[in-house]
Amino acid sequence: MRWVRLLARIFGWLLTPFLACAASFFGAVAGALIALRLREPRTGLIVTAAAGALLGFTGILLWLRLLRRSPEIREALAVQSDGTPDIVALPEPTERPDPKPAA
């Protein structure tokens, strides 16, 4: 069961960048579909890049807004409100007294 929690935590850490990448990809696809109707290739490239950037930025803003408002999702994915991994510091080991020298 421990490895399932580890996989869920890794998935939670990678979900924010994956979501931004997917949103920008779908934005670029939508921009490319719009650019098909344009005569000038450079304008088409600019439209594609702008649509990808706009949808990627909008997608990440909406995702971070959801993370800020939902502590349940943050806890399940082990991330903080800004989408960064929630690193829990391990407790310091208790100090053991030095053993008495043998006489």
Side-chain angles (χ1 to χ4, degrees):
M1 239 11 205
R2 189 174 194 180
W3 62 274
V4 173
R5 271 186 284 163
L6 178 65
L7 286 177
R9 180 169 280 203
I10 291 171
F11 175 74
W13 293 349
L14 295 177
L15 190 59
T16 299
F18 177 74
L19 185 91
C21 183
S24 63
F25 171 77
F26 288 120
V29 169
L33 292 175
I34 294 169
L36 285 174
R37 300 171 191 215
L38 302 174
R39 287 197 178 279
E40 187 67 33
R42 286 186 183 168
T43 308
L45 286 174
I46 291 170
V47 167
T48 301
L54 182 67
L55 198 60
F57 187 71
T58 304
I60 199 71
L61 283 179
L62 292 174
W63 173 246
L64 291 176
R65 174 185 266 181
L66 178 66
L67 282 179
R68 285 187 197 109
R69 292 182 181 203
S70 177
E72 294 87 14
I73 294 176
R74 284 195 313 258
E75 184 179 341
L77 297 176
V79 294
Q80 295 177 3
S81 63
D82 60 351
T84 57
D86 187 17
I87 306 296
V88 178
L90 296 175
E92 294 290 327
T94 57
E95 293 185 25
R96 295 183 185 172
D98 292 332
K100 295 181 182 177

